[in-house]
Amino acid sequence: MKNRNNGSRIFMTELMFSILFFIIVSAICVQCFAGSFAKSRQANEMTKAINLASNAAEEYLVSDNYEGFTEYYDSDWNISDDVNGAYKVTSLVIEPERKGECQSMHVVVSTITDEEIYSLEIEKALK
């Protein structure tokens, strides 16, 4: 009796290796997409924080009677009256210790749990 090899074993082995390769590559791609999503969220958060801090700094530089403030924002960066929002912006004006020194302001944009996202310090000469 002749033992015929019709190639089905080789085909099945090749198919299993192809499936294994596809699974490994797809797992790597899923990790890449998850990482890029997290980095995109962090970049968006940083951009919003920089814009808010810059706006506060510009307002401070053009006004003579600027007072510090704390504003709360929800998760979509809309101003919220609720202290339990997602983010907060705190501005603190520091008067100079001696005459002739510059007045400064410190702006901190953070999460509601005080994890700092961005901070900015500005100085201006008094009139």
Side-chain angles (χ1 to χ4, degrees):
M1 216 175 178
K2 288 186 177 180
N3 189 2
R4 291 190 334 179
N5 189 356
N6 58 8
S8 64
R9 286 185 188 160
I10 295 174
F11 175 74
M12 291 301 286
T13 306
E14 184 179 335
L15 185 63
M16 286 183 354
F17 281 124
S18 298
I19 291 172
L20 180 65
F21 178 74
F22 178 76
I23 290 172
I24 292 170
V25 169
S26 62
I28 291 170
C29 288
V30 167
Q31 280 185 324
C32 290
F33 283 123
S36 65
F37 178 76
K39 288 203 184 279
S40 172
R41 185 168 181 240
Q42 288 173 347
N44 185 33
E45 197 174 67
M46 180 65 81
T47 301
K48 297 287 187 177
I50 289 171
N51 287 339
L52 289 173
S54 297
N55 290 343
E58 289 175 8
E59 189 176 325
Y60 166 71
L61 290 173
V62 298
S63 67
D64 293 331
N65 304 0
Y66 186 84
E67 295 181 14
F69 67 89
T70 299
E71 290 180 343
Y72 297 95
Y73 293 85
D74 62 9
S75 59
D76 294 327
W77 292 93
N78 298 318
I79 293 180
S80 172
D81 295 332
D82 189 15
V83 177
N84 297 324
Y87 305 101
K88 69 179 177 178
V89 178
T90 304
S91 167
L92 178 65
V93 177
I94 302 167
E95 295 295 330
E97 294 178 6
R98 289 174 271 175
K99 187 174 181 172
E101 291 183 348
C102 293
Q103 184 184 48
S104 63
M105 181 184 79
H106 192 74
V107 181
V108 177
V109 181
S110 62
T111 63
I112 203 68
T113 58
D114 290 329
E115 294 176 35
E116 184 177 304
I117 299 171
Y118 184 75
S119 67
L120 180 64
E121 191 165 334
I122 306 100
E123 291 184 351
K124 87 173 172 181
L126 298 175
K127 294 180 182 179

